[in-house]
Amino acid sequence: MRIAPPDWTNSVLKSAPNSRFAPADRDGVFPDGFFSTTNLPTYIKVDGQWRLPREPRMDGGIVLENGELFVREGRRIMKGQMVAIANAEDGSEGIFVHASPFFGDGKGQFEFMASEVSREKPIDYNTMAKLLVDERDHHGYPIWVAGPALVHSRARGDMSWFIANGFVGALLAGNAVAVHDIEASIYGTTLGMTRTGEIAQGGHGLHMRAINMVRGAGSIAAAVRQGIVKDGIMHACVTSDVPFVLTGSIRDDGPLPDVITDMLQAQDAMRSHTTKATMAVLVATALHAIATGNMLPAYLIEASGELREVPTICVDSSEFVVSKLKDRGSHQAFGVVTNAQDFMHILRLYVEKELESRGKAVAR
């Protein structure tokens, strides 16, 4: 979706004052009355000019640094920094949130199949495939966020294919995704379950043995180089030089040596990719999807200066997860209610078909 600019002839916007700024009186604390950001295009009037801040995200504040505007988390605020002060979002206090391209005015009429998320609605794989191929052709930065169900459902081969063939800018996941993927590479099981769904003898300990082997190697990359990990998602990331961020949780086994266990460091690592994202695909994960959504702007600024929506696809077997993501502010997310294996396999088929239609070689 292309985002038309605001109507700057609007009387409120024309007569709006410059935004007010107040200094933070201590590190890590916004001044009273600070403006709390959304993930929508937010214009701030400075010296008579409406401007967009850099690195937009929800749940931050707007800081003026050396004449430039940035969105910053509260923990990053430094004493003396000038922070935008406002409550209103309509421009009357020098800040205007451009929401209408995303929400419109609403139709307000009775209709069937009006819910945004439903397993009864068709899935537009064709459009998603075109978006992914466009992203690759135009050197975009699609981030993928995956949960362990993607591995358990035997979709790791398709995920590996997307990584190896240039459709993934970065992979964000938890310890479990990497552990079960590596277990599958070494032992052919995930949490002791074989490809046919049977439980292997002594299978309960195989993921711990896999973790131990990687810890012995020193890192996932080292385990790939040493031939311990021979295929799969993490192997594809290493051999295709695709960055990954693995973040820890209180229940992690091991964890693997690459997992970031400090939550603030983990958030910073994820944020380094969400600020560059031109598309997001969130598959079979509630917590990581919502965490990513909170850091992901709903729009990006193209080289031409135009704004466009960041396509965001959330896939889960439960409507609840997709609805919860949208309820947490990621309103731009398109919900796909299906299991990870079906989604990944069918999407790959459509991408291969799209590549063929454009006269491009279908990769391995």
Side-chain angles (χ1 to χ4, degrees):
M1 179 181 73
R2 298 286 168 177
I3 302 170
D7 178 11
W8 299 120
T9 65
N10 176 283
S11 59
V12 174
L13 299 182
K14 282 185 69 175
S15 61
N18 286 321
S19 178
R20 293 189 300 118
F21 290 83
D25 61 7
R26 52 183 166 145
D27 291 350
V29 180
F30 289 121
D32 289 344
F34 78 96
F35 181 83
S36 182
T37 59
T38 71
N39 60 357
L40 298 169
T42 301
Y43 293 86
I44 299 89
K45 194 171 186 180
V46 178
D47 296 331
Q49 299 293 318
W50 288 101
R51 296 161 53 185
L52 285 165
R54 298 184 184 182
E55 301 181 9
R57 63 159 293 175
M58 66 177 78
D59 302 328
I62 298 167
V63 173
L64 186 61
E65 298 178 359
N66 300 317
E68 295 289 343
L69 295 163
F70 293 88
V71 174
R72 292 283 184 253
E73 297 92 335
R75 60 190 170 86
R76 295 185 180 280
I77 295 299
M78 304 293 289
K79 181 179 179 179
Q81 281 188 316
M82 302 302 291
V83 180
I85 304 296
N87 287 311
E89 299 182 349
D90 62 359
S92 61
E93 295 181 62
I95 295 180
F96 177 67
V97 178
H98 193 30
S100 59
F102 295 88
F103 300 115
D105 297 322
K107 291 180 284 188
Q109 64 185 31
F110 176 82
E111 54 188 13
F112 290 109
M113 301 300 288
S115 64
E116 291 190 48
V117 180
S118 172
R119 65 180 68 245
E120 295 184 88
K121 287 193 171 184
I123 301 171
D124 192 352
Y125 285 103
N126 190 53
T127 295
M128 289 186 283
K130 289 178 185 294
L131 284 170
L132 276 170
V133 176
D134 284 343
E135 285 288 315
R136 192 181 75 163
D137 287 353
H138 298 136
H139 307 290
Y141 198 78
I143 60 172
W144 289 63
V145 185
L150 185 146
V151 184
H152 294 310
S153 68
R154 302 304 180 248
R156 63 189 288 267
D158 296 311
M159 186 73 242
S160 303
W161 183 89
F162 281 111
I163 294 168
N165 290 291
F167 295 102
V168 180
L171 175 69
L172 312 183
N175 178 65
V177 170
V179 168
H180 303 321
D181 172 67
I182 290 169
E183 179 193 345
S185 178
I186 298 173
Y187 297 108
T189 62
T190 62
L191 277 182
M193 181 177 65
T194 69
R195 291 183 177 87
T196 58
E198 299 173 351
I199 303 302
Q201 182 70 29
H204 64 86
L206 294 181
H207 71 289
M208 293 303 299
R209 299 182 190 283
I211 292 170
N212 198 54
M213 292 175 73
V214 176
R215 291 180 70 88
S219 69
I220 292 172
V224 171
R225 289 193 298 268
Q226 294 172 28
I228 297 170
V229 179
K230 298 181 174 64
D231 59 19
I233 296 168
M234 304 315 300
H235 181 276
C237 284
V238 172
T239 57
S240 301
D241 199 26
V242 170
F244 57 86
V245 176
L246 303 176
T247 54
S249 74
I250 199 71
R251 61 196 175 96
D252 281 341
D253 301 316
L256 290 166
D258 300 78
V259 172
I260 305 172
T261 56
D262 182 296
M263 287 300 99
L264 295 183
Q265 291 180 13
Q267 186 179 137
D268 289 345
M270 292 174 67
R271 179 104 153 93
S272 70
H273 297 289
T274 59
T275 55
K276 297 185 289 185
T278 56
M279 182 177 180
V281 185
L282 323 172
V283 186
T285 172
L287 297 181
H288 275 81
I290 293 169
T292 302
N294 285 352
M295 291 181 264
L296 188 70
Y299 70 97
L300 59 84
I301 305 173
E302 296 194 310
S304 64
E306 286 187 298
L307 272 59
R308 77 162 171 88
E309 187 178 28
V310 175
T312 304
I313 301 164
C314 180
V315 184
D316 203 275
S317 60
S318 168
E319 288 100 331
F320 169 77
V321 172
V322 184
S323 296
K324 188 170 184 178
L325 174 69
K326 295 171 76 69
D327 286 343
R328 293 298 184 274
S330 299
H331 47 79
Q332 80 276 15
F334 173 75
V336 177
V337 183
T338 188
N339 68 72
Q341 181 181 32
D342 288 352
F343 174 80
M344 296 295 291
H345 186 60
I346 297 172
L347 181 61
R348 175 178 171 177
L349 293 176
Y350 271 83
V351 169
E352 290 176 333
K353 180 181 176 182
E354 180 65 21
L355 290 171
E356 289 178 343
S357 73
R358 299 189 189 193
K360 299 179 183 294
V362 177
R364 62 187 182 280

